[in-house]
Amino acid sequence: MIIGKSFKNDINESLKNIQHEFYDRSLSLILAVAKNQYIIADSILQAGHPNIPLLDKINSFDHRTLQDTHDIMAAVFRYRHQKSGQSNLFDSPEDEPIEYQKLWCDWLNDELSSLKDNASFVRNVIEAVVHSNKDEGYAAEGNLYEFLVGYYSIEEWNRNLGI
């Protein structure tokens, strides 16, 4: 995860640090959800897609293939969960990271539950990972980027701000 500023007032460093801490687990979850859906679709269609045997061989992958995907989703979460106003006098600052951790993990799971039903998302996650560091993989990464920018309606966000 690239820790940076993705939108105006993207200043919650505590939340960014939690997302950074959970980066590897988040990437694994993104791939696991897409992989499961891809295998189910292939099985239903009895397609025997050539990516299926390649998926079975993946024990690890280059995190950069899904970095933009993660970073966009992380930025959307931060944008939607910005604190407005002042903290409650009785809020415990020590509990904030624990709250952020739960909120981030729950939100990511919910988002992936919705995104797994989108063929473009699933297919491009799989192709980005299976064909990482190759033209086909780079194309899938670009497709994921464009899909998520449209899906989350963040076209107005400045691409130079980190996403």
Side-chain angles (χ1 to χ4, degrees):
M1 174 179 169
I2 296 174
I3 299 178
K5 188 173 181 180
S6 297
F7 53 88
K8 185 177 179 184
N9 296 325
D10 188 10
I11 57 173
N12 190 332
E13 299 305 317
S14 179
L15 178 52
K16 289 178 190 179
N17 289 332
I18 291 295
Q19 291 175 323
H20 184 265
E21 181 181 324
F22 281 82
Y23 177 69
D24 291 340
R25 285 178 258 182
S26 299
L27 292 184
S28 295
L29 182 61
I30 292 168
L31 177 59
V33 167
K35 178 180 176 181
N36 185 54
Q37 195 72 357
Y38 197 86
I39 290 170
I40 289 170
D42 187 74
S43 175
I44 290 169
L45 297 172
Q46 297 178 343
H49 196 276
N51 283 341
I52 297 296
L54 299 173
L55 275 172
D56 291 336
K57 293 179 183 178
I58 293 176
N59 295 325
S60 63
F61 65 96
D62 183 347
H63 73 95
R64 295 172 297 180
T65 60
L66 297 179
Q67 183 170 329
D68 283 347
T69 298
H70 171 276
D71 289 358
I72 289 170
M73 295 177 79
V76 167
F77 176 80
R78 291 193 308 274
Y79 183 79
R80 292 182 178 174
H81 292 86
Q82 293 180 73
K83 283 190 174 182
S84 56
Q86 296 179 329
S87 297
N88 185 326
L89 179 61
F90 301 105
D91 285 348
S92 173
E94 300 84 37
D95 293 340
E96 192 172 73
I98 295 167
E99 291 175 28
Y100 285 150
Q101 176 183 333
K102 181 172 176 13
L103 284 170
W104 166 239
C105 292
D106 289 349
W107 184 86
L108 184 60
N109 279 307
D110 289 346
E111 284 301 296
L112 291 171
S113 290
S114 295
L115 286 167
K116 74 178 175 65
D117 294 330
N118 185 290
S120 179
F121 177 79
V122 170
R123 182 176 51 252
N124 284 301
V125 166
I126 297 305
E127 289 181 3
V129 172
V130 168
H131 304 290
S132 66
N133 303 312
K134 298 176 188 159
D135 288 342
E136 192 174 350
Y138 296 136
E141 290 176 46
N143 292 339
L144 269 171
Y145 179 90
E146 295 302 324
F147 168 76
L148 290 172
V149 167
Y151 183 80
Y152 289 117
S153 301
I154 57 175
E155 293 88 354
E156 72 278 2
W157 289 11
N158 185 338
R159 198 170 192 166
N160 296 327
L161 288 177
I163 64 167

